[in-house]
Amino acid sequence: MARIIIVGGVAGGMTAAARLRRLDEAAEIIVFEAGPYVSFANCGLPYYISGVIPKREDLLVASPEHLRNNLLLDIRTESKVVSIDRAVKTVTVESAGQRYEERYDVLVLSPGAAPVRPPIPGVNDERVHTIRFIPDVEAVKKRLDAGRLKKAVVVGGGFIGVEMADNLLRANVEVHLVEMADQVLSSMLDPDMAAFVHAHLRQKGVHLHLGSPVTEFIPDEDKLIVALDSGSQLEADAVILAIGVRPEVELAKAAGLALGPRGGIAVDEYLRTSDPNIYAIGDAIEVKHLVTGQPTLIALAGPANKQGRIVANNIAGRSETYEASQGTAIVDVLGLAAAGTGATSMALKRADIPHLSSVIHASSHASYYPGATPLTMKLLFDRTGRILGAQAVGEKGVDKRIDVLATALRMNATVEDLQRLELAYAPQFGMARDPVNVAGFVAGNILAGDVSTVEASQVPELKDMATFLDVREPREHARGCIPGSLNIPLSELRTRLNEIPRGKPVVVYCEVGRRAYIACCALRKLGLDVSNLAGGWRSYATVSSDC
């Protein structure tokens, strides 16, 4: 009878344990969890702060008693594995102040990743919180319920930081979101797409501080002062430190297991470590990125669950490999959904992968049907048309589109494949030409040479080199335009061609890009050097206001 020890529960570890039991009724399966809860919804933790998830018990997926009774698993909570002796195949466990050893035939490491707590002066103040376990959010919730949390500073604009800002604001807390980089959600969104998130955060009342590293946390009686390198000082009742996570590798490293170049546990395609009797899964391991092919760390529940299942299959003799991760993710930002899959343009540049991009503005469903909302999508692709990444931002329909694009990317689809997709249509759900199809059409036009594009971020550097032509109606132009641009409505373009200066490039724009595309086709056939401003005025106005 095989003896399998799993270190760490939650997504990866508990999936592996449950799957193993379904495959092997005789195996002895022991799960060690350092915390009090072996199976909880850690992705739901921020929503307990605001009361969206009203009870702590709602975060508990399965109790140790349930797992013991239904799956015959030996669950040991508040039991920390402190060392591994690979030579004799034992682990040393610390629990209730005592230490003991347990033997294993196969060991599975699922320790997860821990919040980064950098050596900033004052970072160990009790009012500086990180969010990983249920007790972490309970500490913040206790402060909130006692009326001692009126102002909060959230440090870090990743998933946890944005979600905490969202839920604190919902709980009527004044929120300052501080991010060292020039944008939030940089692992998922390019700057031009993140600009829409920034605008929404500000519109909802979040005070956004971008490009502002924290230099010190200063105690000031019952307050905490957060000092930024810009010289600003923010007053807070509590700070949420959410500047990223670091894979928990100390146990593996001490046991002599190999680590990868990104600092995670190195595994092969079967998720085996450098010791064939030890597997590793979840946030602690390095995986290959599906698009770039480079080692990466992806701390998401979806990949961890899949890895847990694959490891269980391999332990049970059903050989299966884990190909790669593509990092598909979505986050709710005060009613605005932001999502991405594959690589961002920044990641592609770092990997030295040439690529093209397109931006479209559409509606969540047919605009004539009540309730339609704006939807912005960005597609990244190469010269062969292969999809490299996709991003979407909007109030409705984002999850539907990003899942289609994530599936297409996983299946090595091209932009032409997007054009051919037949997606469900009724006016309350979508459009006859779904935004996914339109993204394929726009990208196909670029690949065919029918149009070239200029990104909104390039406008400042092109202002003295190109003519900017606004083909919207005068009333639209008057509401806002690129300074110095020439306004000739599309309906009048062919009769006013003589007004367009010759001898330098022309960048055409309209509200979202459709009319500009028609103008570009006409002007290109007349021999002009012409480009379409990707995303039109809507993208430019959002990006330029974010500078």
Side-chain angles (χ1 to χ4, degrees):
M1 180 175 65
R3 194 171 218 240
I4 300 141
I5 287 179
I6 299 172
V7 180
V10 198
M14 289 315 306
T15 297
R19 175 67 174 170
L20 272 167
R21 176 57 72 222
R22 293 194 295 271
L23 296 176
D24 188 345
E25 186 64 23
E28 184 179 0
I29 303 168
I30 306 172
V31 180
F32 290 108
E33 170 56 49
Y37 306 105
V38 73
S39 182
F40 66 96
N42 53 355
C43 295
L45 294 179
Y47 301 93
Y48 177 57
I49 297 290
S50 63
V52 171
I53 296 175
K55 297 182 295 183
R56 185 194 65 174
E57 290 71 22
D58 295 333
L59 295 167
L60 304 178
V61 178
S63 68
E65 293 74 23
H66 172 85
L67 295 167
R68 292 186 191 107
N69 295 336
N70 288 270
L71 293 172
L72 200 62
L73 300 176
D74 186 349
I75 304 294
R76 305 185 193 180
T77 57
E78 298 184 288
S79 299
K80 184 178 181 180
V81 175
V82 295
S83 65
I84 304 167
D85 189 330
R86 293 164 52 198
V88 295
K89 297 170 71 172
T90 62
V91 297
T92 299
V93 185
E94 189 176 85
S95 180
Q98 302 295 318
R99 289 196 173 195
Y100 63 94
E101 292 185 350
E102 288 287 2
R103 178 191 61 83
Y104 67 84
D105 295 309
V106 179
L107 180 63
V108 179
L109 300 180
S110 182
V116 174
R117 189 180 277 268
I120 300 172
V123 73
N124 292 321
D125 190 286
E126 65 174 7
R127 289 162 291 191
V128 179
H129 302 266
T130 57
I131 303 298
R132 187 185 183 191
F133 300 116
I134 290 178
D136 298 330
V137 292
E138 286 183 317
V140 179
K141 179 78 167 170
K142 183 178 180 181
R143 189 181 295 273
L144 179 66
D145 292 344
R148 295 186 291 114
L149 180 48
K150 302 297 184 181
K151 295 181 180 180
V153 173
V154 178
V155 182
F159 296 116
I160 294 296
V162 168
E163 288 176 335
M164 285 301 299
D166 174 321
N167 284 277
L168 286 166
L169 195 70
R170 292 178 191 270
N172 298 314
V173 175
E174 181 184 325
V175 178
H176 291 258
L177 178 58
V178 177
E179 169 55 51
M180 181 171 64
D182 291 331
Q183 69 163 99
V184 302
L185 302 172
S186 58
S187 66
M188 182 177 73
L189 298 179
D190 287 331
D192 57 338
M193 295 294 285
F196 290 92
V197 179
H198 299 163
H200 187 74
L201 284 166
R202 293 184 177 112
Q203 188 267 328
K204 290 293 185 179
V206 174
H207 303 280
L208 203 53
H209 306 266
L210 300 174
S212 301
V214 173
T215 58
E216 189 175 3
F217 299 106
I218 307 168
D220 183 22
E221 296 181 356
D222 60 339
K223 302 290 183 183
L224 197 60
I225 304 300
V226 181
L228 309 182
D229 77 339
S230 63
S232 297
Q233 292 192 337
L234 309 176
E235 187 180 89
D237 298 310
V239 171
I240 306 299
L241 198 61
I243 60 175
V245 295
R246 182 180 291 118
E248 290 273 26
V249 299
E250 289 74 17
L251 183 64
K253 185 177 179 180
L257 298 177
L259 304 183
R262 296 293 304 277
I265 302 171
V267 294
D268 64 12
E269 65 269 31
Y270 299 98
L271 300 172
R272 290 178 304 207
T273 67
S274 52
D275 184 324
N277 296 306
I278 302 176
Y279 293 82
I281 56 178
D283 299 353
I285 71 170
E286 284 189 15
V287 295
K288 183 175 75 172
H289 194 282
L290 181 65
V291 175
T292 67
Q294 296 181 341
T296 189
L297 300 167
I298 294 183
L300 294 170
N305 272 279
K306 295 175 182 65
Q307 292 157 10
R309 180 182 175 90
I310 288 171
V311 158
N313 288 347
N314 286 327
I315 293 172
R318 299 187 179 188
S319 182
E320 186 176 351
T321 61
Y322 185 79
E323 181 186 6
S325 291
Q326 66 194 80
T328 305
I330 188 169
V331 62
D332 176 26
V333 188
L334 292 161
L336 185 78
T341 188
T344 63
S345 62
M346 292 178 287
L348 293 170
K349 289 173 184 175
R350 287 194 297 267
D352 199 25
I353 297 175
H355 62 282
L356 301 166
S357 67
S358 64
V359 176
I360 69 161
H361 295 284
S363 294
S364 56
H365 59 255
S367 57
Y368 63 83
Y369 190 91
T373 57
L375 174 68
T376 302
M377 290 172 49
K378 183 172 187 178
L379 194 65
L380 301 163
F381 51 97
D382 65 17
R383 285 287 179 186
T384 71
R386 184 171 70 100
I387 301 165
L388 304 175
Q391 300 160 33
V393 176
E395 293 181 22
K396 301 177 184 177
V398 167
D399 54 345
K400 168 181 174 178
R401 274 66 185 219
I402 210 68
D403 282 343
V404 171
L405 292 165
T407 302
L409 193 154
R410 175 64 65 166
M411 303 303 291
N412 293 314
T414 66
V415 297
E416 289 186 355
D417 293 319
L418 298 185
Q419 297 172 17
R420 290 190 286 260
L421 288 178
E422 293 186 22
L423 303 174
Y425 165 64
Q428 63 269 55
F429 297 110
M431 289 172 284
R433 291 202 316 170
D434 191 87
V436 171
N437 300 129
V438 175
F441 294 140
V442 172
N445 290 337
I446 294 170
L447 288 172
D450 295 335
V451 67
S452 60
T453 59
V454 167
E455 293 190 1
S457 61
Q458 297 176 279
V459 170
E461 65 189 68
L462 293 173
K463 274 189 175 180
D464 297 330
M465 303 165 50
T467 297
F468 284 85
L469 174 60
D470 183 352
V471 296
R472 296 176 299 166
E473 294 300 312
R475 65 182 183 281
E476 297 174 275
H477 182 80
R479 286 199 298 264
C481 64
I482 297 174
S485 58
L486 175 65
N487 181 214
I488 303 177
L490 179 61
S491 59
E492 302 174 16
L493 182 64
R494 290 171 178 83
T495 60
R496 296 173 58 183
L497 292 172
N498 61 317
E499 298 179 32
I500 303 174
R502 299 302 197 264
K504 62 179 182 178
V506 178
V507 179
V508 186
Y509 71 96
C510 62
E511 188 66 21
V512 298
R514 296 187 188 94
R515 285 171 286 177
Y517 168 64
I518 296 170
C520 282
C521 290
L523 295 176
R524 184 179 293 275
K525 288 179 171 61
L526 294 172
L528 276 72
D529 179 4
V530 62
S531 299
N532 192 347
L533 179 60
W537 168 255
R538 189 174 297 175
S539 283
Y540 171 77
T542 304
V543 171
S544 61
S545 66
D546 196 41
C547 297

